[in-house]
Amino acid sequence: MAKLRIAVLMGGKSIEREVSFNSGRTICDHLDTNNYDIIPLFQTETGELYLLPHHFLHRGKIADFLARLPKEGAQVSWDRLKKIVDFVYLAVHGRYGEDGTVQGMLEIMGIPYLGAKVLGSSLGMDKIVQKAYLIAHGIDVAHGISITPKELHTLTKEQLLSRLEQKGLSLPVIVKPAHEGSSLGIASVTDPNDLLPACQTASSVDPRRKQGVIVEEKLSGMEFVCVTLQKGSEYVSFPLTEVVIEEKSHIFDYEQKYMPGRALKVTPARCSEEARVRICDACRRASEVLQFNTISRIDGFLTPDGRVVLVDPNSLTGMSPTTFLFHQAAEHGMSHTDLINFLIEQELRSYGITAQHHAKAFSMSSSVIPKIRVAVLLGGDSNERETSLESGRNVCYKLSPQKYEAIPLFVNDSMELFRLDQKLLIKNSTKAIAGLVTPELQVLWSDLPAICDFVFIGLHGGKGENGAVQGAIETLGLPYNGPGVLASALCIDKFKTNNFLRAQGFHVPNSHLISKADWLALGSDHFLSAEIKKAQLSFPLVVKPHDDGCSVMVHKAGNLAELASILDTFFTSSKQVALLEELIVGMELTVGVIGNDTITVLPPSMAVAQNGILSMQEKFLPGAGENQTPAPLPAAALQLVQKVIGDVF
């Protein structure tokens, strides 16, 4: 029988479209293709619908493919959509995605979909009405006031402070838009002079439409996230997650939510069983009151005086690979695919639809085919360990479960190996994992041949890229991905690599090394001037480690004073050498190459750096970076780039 056709709707018209794209990609990656046909469906900012080509699905940012979408994607209408899909998995976020509008369209079209229906969605997105609704049902919410866009035109600071005082509130307060999520437009205000500007910023965070603003008490205590699932008429909460924001931060902001390794997210939350029960009960009641279906995510605080205060109920939740939902599901031993399939099946059941299950038949026929056991190394001893964690678990999640048995192996700072289950693999940071692994989870390097057939190196920097891990695996007689010992050992050292390539006739930047010992002994303007002259460098120039990647500790110096200041800070780290390098002005390209004896040079990507040097945020934060693939170059130039890169490889 035909599989159910599941459309994953992502993108959308709200300012959360980048987060939505990230969620949609994750869902497509983990949908069970034994049961469902996946149809990636993208909505543009202006509302057009496209069947998204799969080669756009893993772009870092919507801008990377948007201009090409009309030519390479097939535009569809809502009316046609009902003829080509059986169910819509909503991965859209924010206004126009969680506010009942798209839900209304799907209702008109008669297309089943995931999550809250029109009323629940509209209640979930209007935080002003939502708060009134919860209060009316005896559910505690943050005390505060609301301000209309019209009031902001004439409201003075004094009037605003007076309104807060009448409610018994004083600074600090939280200011937030009434119709947004993902911490966009939210501010913590301690200075009275900042209050009105913060309200105006929140009101206009989406420049296309002014919106109301909420000003409410700034709560202290344990910040929690509670995900609740609906099974029939019953609401069941996953284990709570406790959020500990970074020092010097005042709110759980966008970067802490989505950047690898940021903030501390502890699942299960560190609170008493009595407190957990009260929190889950409040969140379940809120889900029922707000008519959330299948799934909800509710954020709140357990205050020092014992209040359970709900601050942000959501009718849908983000589904990036390491979101709270997957953290909490992992505590039940559920993988990403398990959870996504569960949500679809629950929703289909509510519509009276049964998915066609082929998984059992498949497992019976495939059980005689041995799977390749792949040990995936992630973490490591370098500054890039958080990026490695993202890479490694991405490999674990993307390996075909029909062909491979993924074995996640965490590599700690001491290069010891620990086997991870689903609960540990999903943790937010390497620090969190390192604190939870136990001796019985340790795997000896010499035991690798007994547990795996192949080693996938997901490590970045340090011993994972400098030939050490490669040498160890070769000693054990196991195959692995990536370059061998020599190429790894050479390429980890940017200075030596540049010198080698220069000797082979390639164009590389001029570069020079300054040691920590020389800087501490001789550091002065005269010393720097002499070193720069000797290296034939000029300002501006780049300062970076010679043995790290991922934009770690990379700076641009415009003059001697800036360079001296950068080096002073640079050498407070463990780094013994700083690399000074010529600043190259032009189109920055990244080119992938795959193969061994026969190689394939992939199309070059143009990386766009807003401040001259590509930042960590532009590389990894949803919506922050931009990469155009292929790079906007004439065909002859693209061929030249690919030829040179192939020769370098």
Side-chain angles (χ1 to χ4, degrees):
M1 297 182 68
K3 299 176 185 177
L4 279 175
R5 300 165 298 176
I6 306 289
V8 181
L9 179 59
M10 65 192 89
K13 298 162 66 176
S14 85
I15 59 175
E16 296 183 68
R17 65 185 74 90
E18 297 289 353
V19 178
S20 166
F21 179 50
N22 203 18
S23 290
R25 173 172 52 227
T26 304
I27 295 159
C28 289
D29 284 343
H30 295 286
L31 264 172
D32 184 355
T33 53
N34 290 318
N35 289 332
Y36 309 116
D37 281 333
I38 304 168
I39 303 173
L41 187 64
F42 184 83
Q43 185 181 37
T44 68
E45 184 180 352
T46 50
E48 294 88 0
L49 285 179
Y50 287 89
L51 300 178
L52 187 71
H54 281 268
H55 59 274
F56 288 160
L57 193 59
H58 291 91
R59 297 302 172 95
K61 184 179 181 181
I62 292 169
D64 295 348
F65 62 83
L66 190 59
R68 295 167 56 188
L69 194 55
K71 290 184 178 180
E72 299 180 44
Q75 188 170 357
V76 294
S77 66
W78 289 105
D79 297 87
R80 183 183 165 220
L81 187 64
K82 62 185 178 182
K83 299 176 183 178
I84 61 176
V85 307
D86 301 307
F87 181 86
V88 174
Y89 196 118
L90 288 175
V92 282
H93 300 307
R95 196 184 296 175
Y96 313 111
E98 290 181 80
D99 62 356
T101 53
V102 71
Q103 288 81 1
M105 175 60 79
L106 293 172
E107 295 276 354
I108 295 297
M109 294 295 114
I111 303 175
Y113 59 92
L114 181 78
K117 307 315 168 194
V118 176
L119 175 58
S121 298
S122 55
L123 276 174
M125 204 62 219
D126 189 322
K127 301 181 190 305
I128 295 174
V129 176
Q130 179 193 90
K131 288 182 72 170
Y133 220 73
L134 293 174
I135 291 170
H137 286 82
I139 297 171
D140 199 357
V141 299
H143 304 150
I145 62 172
S146 60
I147 306 165
T148 66
K150 183 178 179 181
E151 287 176 316
L152 280 173
H153 286 299
T154 57
L155 194 66
T156 65
K157 175 183 73 175
E158 288 73 23
Q159 290 171 325
L160 184 50
L161 289 169
S162 175
R163 286 180 60 176
L164 288 172
E165 187 178 352
Q166 290 170 18
K167 285 284 187 178
L169 297 177
S170 59
L171 301 184
V173 292
I174 297 295
V175 176
K176 60 186 181 184
H179 300 274
E180 306 294 347
S182 292
S183 300
L184 295 168
I186 298 181
S188 173
V189 177
T190 57
D191 186 332
N193 295 318
D194 295 333
L195 185 56
L196 196 54
C199 292
Q200 292 164 341
T201 297
S203 178
S204 58
V205 64
D206 184 344
R208 298 167 298 179
R209 176 180 169 185
K210 300 288 186 182
Q211 61 183 292
V213 174
I214 293 172
V215 184
E216 62 188 23
E217 61 179 320
K218 189 174 190 301
L219 296 161
S220 61
M222 186 189 80
E223 187 170 359
F224 64 79
V225 175
C226 179
V227 174
T228 299
L229 305 182
Q230 185 184 21
K231 296 177 65 177
S233 59
E234 183 184 4
Y235 288 84
V236 179
S237 294
F238 271 156
L240 301 174
T241 296
E242 174 188 356
V243 177
V244 182
I245 62 174
E246 296 171 342
E247 288 186 26
K248 300 182 181 178
S249 296
H250 301 288
I251 58 170
F252 188 40
D253 59 25
Y254 188 83
E255 287 199 15
Q256 291 182 72
K257 280 187 176 179
Y258 300 112
M259 279 292 285
R262 298 288 299 273
L264 176 63
K265 300 152 190 173
V266 183
T267 308
R270 298 169 297 187
C271 62
S272 68
E273 176 63 14
E274 181 271 337
R276 185 197 67 78
V277 169
R278 288 196 297 117
I279 291 169
C280 292
D281 180 61
C283 293
R284 284 195 295 268
R285 286 193 295 122
S287 296
E288 291 175 317
V289 164
L290 297 172
Q291 297 191 33
F292 289 165
N293 299 87
T294 305
I295 186 170
S296 66
R297 170 191 156 174
I298 299 179
D299 303 348
F301 283 84
L302 175 65
T303 66
D305 60 357
R307 290 172 64 197
V308 174
V309 186
L310 308 188
V311 298
D312 190 17
N314 297 273
S315 58
L316 288 172
T317 180
M319 287 205 164
S320 62
T322 57
T323 192
F324 297 106
L325 175 64
F326 296 127
H327 275 258
Q328 297 178 9
E331 291 294 317
H332 280 293
M334 297 178 75
S335 68
H336 291 50
T337 298
D338 293 337
L339 178 61
I340 290 168
N341 285 351
F342 172 83
L343 295 175
I344 293 173
E345 289 165 9
Q346 290 299 310
E347 196 67 73
L348 288 173
R349 193 170 289 116
S350 73
Y351 282 100
I353 302 172
T354 302
Q356 304 303 321
H357 291 288
H358 305 287
K360 289 184 179 178
F362 180 88
S363 63
M364 289 173 64
S365 61
S366 63
S367 61
V368 297
I369 303 174
K371 295 180 181 180
I372 298 172
R373 301 168 300 168
V374 180
V376 182
L377 306 186
L378 48 91
D381 67 340
S382 79
N383 288 325
E384 301 177 66
R385 58 179 68 87
E386 301 302 336
T387 305
S388 168
L389 176 58
E390 291 291 299
S391 293
R393 63 179 158 214
N394 197 37
V395 172
C396 293
Y397 296 151
K398 303 292 172 60
L399 281 171
S400 169
Q402 284 78 41
K403 296 179 181 179
Y404 305 104
E405 177 190 350
I407 303 169
L409 293 180
F410 175 68
V411 185
N412 68 10
D413 289 353
S414 301
M415 299 303 292
E416 297 169 321
L417 304 176
F418 295 86
R419 189 163 184 164
L420 303 183
D421 60 13
Q422 186 69 21
K423 290 196 293 185
L424 290 173
L425 181 62
I426 194 66
K427 293 301 180 185
N428 183 59
S429 66
T430 57
K431 182 178 180 181
I433 295 174
L436 292 170
V437 292
T438 55
E440 56 266 24
L441 297 176
Q442 186 169 0
V443 174
L444 299 178
W445 284 89
S446 56
D447 288 341
L448 283 179
I451 69 168
C452 72
D453 307 302
F454 184 93
V455 178
F456 196 109
I457 303 173
L459 304 171
H460 300 298
K463 296 183 182 69
E465 275 192 273
N466 71 1
V469 164
Q470 289 78 9
I473 297 171
E474 289 204 16
T475 300
L476 297 171
L478 287 167
Y480 60 94
N481 61 304
V485 177
L486 175 56
S488 299
L490 177 62
C491 289
I492 196 68
D493 189 316
K494 304 179 197 304
F495 184 70
K496 291 178 180 175
T497 302
N498 275 359
N499 288 341
F500 174 76
L501 292 175
R502 186 184 294 109
Q504 302 300 313
F506 295 102
H507 296 288
V508 296
N510 289 331
S511 57
H512 183 66
L513 295 178
I514 291 183
S515 72
K516 183 174 185 177
D518 284 348
W519 177 246
L520 295 178
L522 306 170
S524 66
D525 286 355
H526 176 73
F527 168 74
L528 285 180
S529 296
E531 294 294 298
I532 290 169
K533 183 177 180 181
K534 180 168 62 177
Q536 298 182 344
L537 293 171
S538 60
F539 290 105
L541 53 78
V542 176
V543 186
K544 61 186 179 184
H546 75 298
D547 58 355
D548 257 323
C550 289
S551 301
V552 172
M553 298 171 67
V554 180
H555 303 278
K556 183 169 72 173
N559 52 53
L560 282 174
E562 288 184 8
L563 178 56
S565 176
I566 290 169
L567 290 174
D568 280 338
T569 302
F570 187 96
F571 286 128
T572 60
S573 72
S574 61
K575 297 295 182 186
Q576 299 301 308
V577 178
L579 177 64
L580 309 188
E581 192 172 74
E582 176 187 3
L583 177 69
I584 304 297
V585 178
M587 182 182 292
E588 184 170 355
L589 301 173
T590 298
V591 189
V593 187
I594 54 177
N596 290 303
D597 296 329
T598 301
I599 68 169
T600 300
V601 183
L602 302 176
S605 296
M606 177 183 72
V608 180
Q610 296 298 320
N611 297 309
I613 294 178
L614 207 61
S615 67
M616 282 281 283
Q617 287 75 11
E618 287 171 319
K619 286 186 175 183
F620 300 111
L621 188 64
E626 182 175 347
N627 292 279
Q628 296 291 341
T629 308
L633 288 169
L638 289 173
Q639 290 172 5
L640 172 64
V641 170
Q642 289 177 296
K643 171 66 168 60
V644 172
I645 294 299
D647 290 343
V648 169
F649 183 85

